[in-house]
Amino acid sequence: MLSGLAVAVGCVLFLGGFAWGAVLYRPYTVPTDSMSPTVTAGDRVLAQRIDGSEVRRGDVVVFTDARWGGLPMIKRVVGLDGDRVACCDADGRLTVNGTPVPEPYLRSQGWGGKEAASPTGFSATVPDGHLFLLGDQRAGSQDSRVHLQEPGGGSVPRGAVTARLDAVVWPVGGAAVVDRPLSFAALPGGVSEPGPVRTLGWAVLAGAVLVLGGAAYGPLARLGAGRGSGAGRVPGAGRGQDSGRTGPGAAPGARPPGGARDASPDGSSGGARRRLTGEG
C-alpha cells in the first residue's frame, strides 16, 4: 500500500511539474554572447511567458521587433516608460532619472580604464509604452544604443516582449536561476517577482524520488519478509521420523527404509526374538 501510494504521488508531482512548466515556460537557445556573462551563446534557458505590462527594470526579456531584425532577441530592461536613461556618471555608472544604478552582473568589458557601463556615452528618454534595453556585454551588444536615431529613440514597444528569463538549464555546469538585480529595487516600481521555476524543479525532483523509492520498496519489503520467515528453521525439519537414517547418529528407534525391522540370525524377526527371550 505504501509503495503504491508513493508511486502515485510521485507521478502526480513529476508529470504535473512538467505539465505546469510547459504551460508557464518556453525554452530558448541563446544565439550570441551579447548577454555574457549572465547567459552565453549556446545556453539553453527557460523564459516565463508574460505580458509586456509585467516587465520591470532589471528583467532579462525575450522580444521580437521588426526594426531589430524580426528575430527573437534577449536583452536586459534598464528603462521604462518616461525614464531618462543616461551613461555615464563621474564613476562610469548607468543612471536612471539621475539615480546611479550599480550593475553587478557586468564583468570586465575589455576597453580598459575604469570599466564604465558603456564604452560610449548616451542619453535617451523612453516613450510611453516602451522599454529601453541593453546587453550585459556592453562592448559588443547591438542594443538600444545602436537604434537611438530611430523612431522611439532606440526603445522597444512593451508588446514586443513575449517572455522573461528565469533560469539557465543547459549546460548542467552552468545551470542557475537568473536573479533579479537588487540595484533596481530602490527605483519606483521595484523589481519583478521571481517565477516559480524553483518550485517546479523541486516538484519534479521530489516526484522522481518518490517514484523510484516507491517502485523499489515493494520488492525489497517482500524480499525481507521472505528471509524473515525462513529464520530459525532446522534443516530437515518437517520430514517424517522414519527418514531411513541408520548407523551412528541415527535417532533411537528409527526404522530403516521401507519400515523393515532388523532380522535375527535365524530369520525370525527381532521383535519375536525379544518376546521369546522375555518368556524364558
Side-chain angles (χ1 to χ4, degrees):
M1 184 183 299
L2 290 176
S3 173
L5 181 61
V7 171
V9 174
C11 286
V12 171
L13 289 174
F14 188 80
L15 298 177
F18 271 111
W20 187 18
V23 172
L24 293 180
Y25 287 93
R26 291 185 62 183
Y28 289 93
T29 300
V30 179
T32 69
D33 281 322
S34 68
M35 281 298 297
S36 174
T38 303
V39 290
T40 58
D43 284 355
R44 272 68 167 181
V45 299
L46 288 180
Q48 184 181 1
R49 303 170 195 263
I50 63 168
D51 184 80
S53 61
E54 302 176 58
V55 176
R56 297 291 182 270
R57 300 180 192 89
D59 288 346
V60 178
V61 298
V62 180
F63 67 97
T64 304
D65 191 294
R67 291 176 297 180
W68 292 48
L71 297 174
M73 302 186 72
I74 298 176
K75 302 292 180 188
R76 188 182 296 275
V77 177
V78 297
L80 306 179
D81 327 53
D83 283 347
R84 180 74 177 176
V85 182
C87 191
C88 303
D89 69 359
D91 294 320
R93 294 174 296 183
L94 177 78
T95 64
V96 178
N97 300 325
T99 301
V101 179
E103 297 182 277
Y105 43 80
L106 299 182
R107 297 294 185 269
S108 175
Q109 302 293 297
W111 55 77
K114 297 179 67 175
E115 295 288 337
S118 175
T120 57
F122 65 89
S123 179
T125 299
V126 184
D128 288 342
H130 286 66
L131 307 167
F132 198 85
L133 305 156
L134 296 178
D136 287 356
Q137 180 53 267
R138 304 283 164 80
S141 175
Q142 301 295 305
D143 48 38
S144 290
R145 296 169 298 170
V146 179
H147 302 274
L148 288 173
Q149 306 306 317
E150 298 176 4
S155 299
V156 170
R158 281 182 176 269
V161 174
T162 58
R164 176 172 53 214
L165 222 65
D166 254 5
V168 179
V169 295
W170 188 265
V172 175
V177 174
V178 178
D179 293 320
R180 309 300 191 258
L182 296 180
S183 52
F184 288 96
L187 297 174
V191 294
S192 61
E193 292 294 327
V197 67
R198 281 192 175 95
T199 303
L200 289 173
W202 282 114
V204 170
L205 179 61
V209 171
L210 285 173
V211 169
L212 294 176
Y217 175 78
L220 291 176
R222 287 193 293 271
L223 181 62
R227 289 180 176 177
S229 63
R233 292 182 59 186
V234 178
R239 300 174 186 173
Q241 290 188 357
D242 54 342
S243 59
R245 292 175 58 195
T246 59
R255 296 182 180 183
R261 300 172 180 172
D262 294 337
S264 63
D266 59 356
S268 62
S269 67
R273 183 181 179 183
R274 283 193 293 274
R275 287 196 297 274
L276 290 174
T277 303
E279 290 172 357

